[in-house]
Amino acid sequence: MIVQRVVLNSRPGKNGVPMAENFRLEQSTIADTVQAGQVRVKTLYLSVDPYMRCRMNEDTGSDYLQPWQLSEVADGGGIGVVEESKHQNLAKGDFVTSFTWPWQTVAILDGNSLQKLVPQLVNGRLSYFLGAAGITGLTALLGIREKGHVAVGANQTMVVSGAAGACGSLAGQIGRLEGCSRVVGIAGTDEKCSILVQEMGFDAAINYKKGDVAKQLRELCPGGVDVYFDNVGGDISDAVISQMNQNSHIILCGQISQYNKDVPYPPPLPADTEKIRKEKNITRERFLVLNYMDKQEASVLQLCQWIQEGKLKVRTFRFNLWPLILFPTMRGLISLSLALLLCLRIEQTF
Ligand SMILES: NC(=O)c1ccc[n+]([C@@H]2O[C@H](COP(=O)([O-])OP(=O)(O)OC[C@H]3O[C@@H](n4cnc5c(N)ncnc54)[C@H](OP(=O)(O)O)[C@@H]3O)[C@@H](O)[C@H]2O)c1
């Protein structure tokens, strides 16, 4: 059977910005029949995530991340539907997911590597299992629970950077649900800031591309910052940390502003910021969601319950990507994340 797939075409270099040309769309062949224990799946959704930037390097810098190999199919979180099964627990029509889904229209996979999904848990919005009810939601929820020290009634102010991203938009809402009395987001456009406040229930949002972030934080967080959900690192985090209270907590989720640089993870704070952190006894422990998979099942159920109750707002938009495959000249016009994908559609937060 002929399938389409996306392979790594070239590496951007540790200090390079990834380009669409780093990937190649090509045809490939898979077997016509599945073996015992295998299933044939049709890809429905793929998740394109910041950690994949590290997988584009020959050395990912992390022992839990394998590099993508040149001319080999890329992979990551994905969802698909079973078309044919020779696995005892999976049947035609089942929806399944995996962290190592190949970027391929149709694939033959080991049934034991797949997790069966229950669409009713997310009101039929299957793609949520890659977002709000998947690793993204788990990262926001478990990051707050494991590293945030949020307590109901403690009158805490939380600041979220990368607040309009997949993790950040959930982290702010979950911070409120878990007990924070004030939540302020930091994002890169006025439109994103307005959505955070008007749709996602943030108390305020700062456009970090306009004006002085530290000054705006002082105005919007008059009692200082108790919990900082850090997705971005760099100058934004230095500004937030300068406003943090004694014995407060940083949830070190990610440092996306540093991913195109050859720096260790987590990057050390600049000396002035580190001095403030030490003097104020601010915790900054590394958080990795994969270390808490024993809490996955209960946490996904919590996230699904909030989604069903309308307490967790999820904003997505959908692209139909077939025209990009059919009319290759259009591909030069699109952004990297679109060019990466070959599936029928993707849904992204913002
Ligand atoms: N610790 C874990 O286990 C774990 C698990 C999953 C994800 N993560 C981390 O969580 C973070 C967010 O991931 P995500 O899935 O939410 O990604 P995402 O949906 O792509 O959102 C990332 C956001 O970061 C902002 N951003 C990008 N470059 C920036 C820069 N140079 N300076 C400031 N902001 C920038 C963008 O917003 P603007 O347009 O507003 O700038 C974007 O919305 C990443 O750092 C990721 O590595 C960690």
Side-chain angles (χ1 to χ4, degrees), residues 90-116:
L90 296 172
K92 187 175 174 185
D94 283 348
F95 294 107
V96 288
T97 186
S98 148
F99 291 139
T100 55
W101 197 282
W103 289 9
Q104 195 163 300
T105 45
V106 178
I108 293 178
L109 302 176
D110 177 356
N112 288 335
S113 70
L114 301 171
Q115 231 177 319
K116 201 144 87 169

Side-chain angles (χ1 to χ4, degrees), residues 211-225:
D212 181 338
V213 174
K215 180 170 172 283
Q216 293 178 74
L217 278 170
R218 273 194 295 280
E219 289 162 11
L220 293 171
C221 307
V225 178

